[in-house]
Amino acid sequence: MVERRETCSLATVRRVAAMLDIDPDTVAADDALPRGWQFVLLGADTRRSALRSDGFPGLGIPMPDLGLPRLMLAGRSVSFHADIPIGASVRRASAMQSLRHKASAAGPMAVVTLVDELHVDGHDSAAIVETRTYLLMSASKAKPYCEPRKALAGSTRLTSSTRFLPPKAPAQRTSRTESEHLGQPSVPI
């Protein structure tokens, strides 16, 4: 289990509100953190040199190297037991609930389930429990739909003078417009 101390800071919650196009002035210290916004308390503090090859900061807990470079979120559930006041100090406890190895047609894979509990200081029971399940998969052996060089063979090279629309042909009138039917002169648009 990994434990971290977090602060549900007003500044961070205001930034999330702004990101969601909600007036940041509508949130204040001691208000309840809106449901679903607990992600601000679950962020990783992974050093850049320790990022996964795909840029993901990792799962936040020590885990053996399984040799499975691809990662996909497979499921997530959240249980809300109490509110987290904005400005509160929070203890985050993270643990691996399960790790199962599986075989698939695409190769070996693992199913990892993690649990994060958020405890407001002064309370023994968790305010929020979030469970996430990830699939870790082997490197893809799939080939691209088409070879890039073959896809470009015979295509037109685009330059700054390339026109994307065909040139306008001279207008030829083959029928009368509605205004001409009504005896009014037509006006070009």
Side-chain angles (χ1 to χ4, degrees):
M1 178 179 299
V2 174
E3 290 196 7
R4 294 257 196 257
R5 306 288 311 162
E6 302 288 342
T7 300
C8 183
S9 78
L10 177 60
T12 301
V13 175
R14 288 173 52 85
R15 288 182 190 109
V16 172
M19 176 185 71
L20 297 173
D21 202 23
I22 297 170
D23 183 359
D25 292 329
T26 62
V27 294
D30 296 323
D31 286 354
L33 179 69
R35 299 279 166 107
W37 292 21
Q38 73 277 358
F39 69 88
V40 301
L41 301 169
L42 298 174
D45 50 7
T46 307
R47 293 177 44 183
R48 187 174 64 142
S49 61
L51 292 175
R52 290 173 40 97
S53 62
D54 58 7
F56 186 70
L59 302 177
I61 58 163
M63 210 169 98
D65 181 9
L66 303 174
L68 301 170
R70 296 185 338 178
L71 178 74
M72 180 174 76
L73 179 64
R76 178 176 175 242
S77 66
V78 181
S79 299
F80 298 93
H81 304 287
D83 289 329
I84 295 178
I86 296 171
S89 291
V90 176
R91 179 175 55 89
R92 179 179 84 197
S94 304
M96 184 183 329
Q97 187 177 52
S98 65
L99 170 62
R100 296 183 313 269
H101 295 274
K102 295 192 169 213
S104 72
M109 63 184 288
V111 180
V112 179
T113 302
L114 306 177
V115 177
D116 290 297
E117 294 182 355
L118 298 172
H119 299 259
V120 176
D121 277 0
H123 296 85
D124 292 331
S125 59
I128 299 174
V129 177
E130 180 168 311
T131 304
R132 293 181 316 280
T133 301
Y134 293 93
L135 300 180
L136 287 94
M137 299 167 287
S138 57
S140 177
K141 296 176 186 170
K143 292 188 177 182
Y145 177 70
C146 63
E147 296 288 327
R149 293 197 184 273
K150 290 179 184 177
L152 294 175
S155 66
T156 303
R157 184 180 172 104
L158 301 179
T159 65
S160 60
S161 62
T162 303
R163 291 180 56 112
F164 292 100
L165 298 174
K168 290 186 178 182
Q172 296 181 350
R173 294 186 98 159
T174 56
S175 64
R176 297 188 319 180
T177 65
E178 183 178 341
S179 59
E180 289 174 320
H181 281 290
L182 298 173
Q184 300 169 355
S186 62
V187 177
I189 298 177

